[in-house]
Amino acid sequence: MSKHWAQYQTEFAASFASAEVQNAVKQAAELLNKADRIFFIGNGGSNSICSHMMEDYMKMGHKRTMSFTDAAMITCYANDYGWEKAMEEWIVAQFLPGDLLVAISSSGESKNILNAVRKAKEMQGKVVTLSGFNKDNSLGKLGDANIIIPVRSFGVVENFHSMLLHVILDDMHL
C-alpha cells in the first residue's frame, strides 16, 4: 500500500464531494449532451483518455467525435507548426462554430492545450476542461465548464478525469 494512500484518499474524497466539482461536472454533462461534434485533446496519459473517450462517446453516446491521437497526424502537425501550435492548427482545420472541445491536462499548464482551447473559443466553440494539481492552473480558467482535481499525482488526476467522463457518458445513454 502506498504511503500516500491516506493523503490521496482524503484529497480524492474532498474533491469529488465538493460543490465546485459537482457543479462543474453538471455543466460539463449538459454541454456534452447538447454537442453534436466533440473533439478531444490531451498529452501522454491524457491523450490515451482522449482516444478511449472518442470511441465511447461515439459508440454509446451516439456523438460525432474526433481526437488528436493518431501518431502520423500528431507528428505531421508538430513537424509543420511546432509542438505548441500543433493542436491549435488541427482545431483550425477541423473545428466548426458550435463544436465542443474537451481539453485534458493534468497540470493545466500545457501550452499546446492552452493554445488549442483559445482557438476553439475564438472559433465560437464550447470548451470543457479537465485539469489538476493546482486550483489556479491556467486551463481551469478557460472553459465553459472546468473540472479541476487539486491532487498532485498524475495517476490519480488522470484516473479521476477518466472516471468523470465515464460517469457523464453513462448518464447520457441511460
Side-chain angles (χ1 to χ4, degrees), residues 33 35-38 54-65 169 172-173:
N33 202 26
D36 183 39
R37 294 189 339 150
I38 303 171
M54 176 193 69
E55 295 165 359
D56 283 358
Y57 274 74
M58 179 177 42
K59 179 182 169 196
M60 294 182 286
H62 308 291
K63 299 292 184 176
R64 293 188 295 167
T65 62
L169 178 61
M172 286 171 58
H173 83 280

Side-chain angles (χ1 to χ4, degrees), residues 112-153:
N112 58 345
I113 302 287
L114 296 170
N115 289 336
V117 166
R118 289 183 188 108
K119 182 55 72 174
K121 297 289 284 183
E122 182 182 305
M123 295 176 71
Q124 284 121 37
K126 297 291 185 186
V127 176
V128 171
T129 71
L130 294 101
S131 61
F133 291 14
N134 181 347
K135 281 187 152 198
D136 295 322
N137 71 63
S138 299
L139 184 61
K141 300 172 184 152
L142 296 179
D144 296 287
N146 301 294
I147 300 170
I148 304 168
I149 308 305
V151 176
R152 298 200 68 75
S153 167

